[in-house]
Amino acid sequence: MLRILAVFVLMMYSTSFEVVPSLPKSSHLVYSFATVNGGGSRNTMNYNIVTYAHQMSIKPAIWAVSLYKGTKSHMNLLESEHGVGILQILPSDFNLDAIALLGKRSGFDVDKTVELDSLGVEREDIKVEGIDRPISIFKNCISFAVMMVDRNQ
């Protein structure tokens, strides 16, 4: 089945990408994208595996991130007041069962935070200026960037 991709133009809001250790040239980076779920639940997040993330410019820092249309992450970005997502670089030893969960299961069908907890994947909360709730990132991510949808594009 062919699925339509939505490519979002995201302005980098804040980042820890400057501290990324040098990676071997043969490395294949695996990105996860986290979005805040809407509704009443205070700190529920949705996470997925991103198949395409690419920096488009340095100043201003603009990235293109692809998400399948109709997914929970896509919906969260569109419906969020701020359009905030966290792009994370996963380490090579990241839990493979968690990668399968993030890449193959829908946030509409499963609460990924509960499943990640059961797999022992640790997260930590960060505070993003202008957002009224904490946002959880993977504790062992190599680096992360807080991104906001550029609604002018």
Side-chain angles (χ1 to χ4, degrees):
M1 174 171 104
L2 182 64
R3 299 198 57 196
I4 304 298
L5 284 178
V7 176
F8 286 90
V9 176
L10 300 164
M11 300 291 291
M12 191 172 292
Y13 181 73
S14 67
T15 183
S16 70
F17 273 16
E18 294 89 22
V19 297
V20 174
S22 41
L23 299 166
K25 291 189 186 305
S26 63
S27 279
H28 297 284
L29 297 179
V30 176
Y31 294 99
S32 174
F33 197 70
T35 56
V36 178
N37 289 330
S41 190
R42 173 132 176 84
N43 189 25
T44 15
M45 301 289 298
N46 190 63
Y47 304 89
N48 67 1
I49 297 298
V50 174
T51 54
Y52 179 82
H54 187 77
Q55 188 166 4
M56 305 304 287
S57 73
I58 296 171
K59 287 194 179 197
I62 297 176
W63 281 67
V65 177
S66 66
L67 298 171
Y68 283 111
K69 286 185 176 181
T71 63
K72 183 75 168 162
S73 296
H74 181 255
M75 184 187 80
N76 287 347
L77 270 183
L78 290 179
E79 293 183 359
S80 163
E81 175 185 347
H82 302 288
V84 171
I86 310 291
L87 186 64
Q88 303 173 82
I89 300 174
L90 302 182
S92 60
D93 62 349
F94 195 76
N95 184 313
L96 293 178
D97 291 330
I99 289 177
L101 166 70
L102 303 181
K104 295 182 177 182
R105 303 285 307 274
S106 170
F108 288 120
D109 300 329
V110 63
D111 183 337
K112 292 186 182 182
T113 57
V114 170
E115 296 294 320
L116 288 165
D117 288 344
S118 73
L119 293 170
V121 176
E122 294 183 57
R123 296 182 318 277
E124 63 182 295
D125 288 346
I126 61 170
K127 177 71 179 126
V128 176
E129 188 178 327
I131 308 297
D132 64 351
R133 56 171 52 168
I135 295 178
S136 296
I137 62 169
F138 297 123
K139 202 169 198 171
N140 67 338
C141 71
I142 293 171
S143 193
F144 70 91
V146 179
M147 307 257 176
M148 290 187 170
V149 173
D150 182 352
R151 300 200 191 267
N152 297 320
Q153 295 294 320

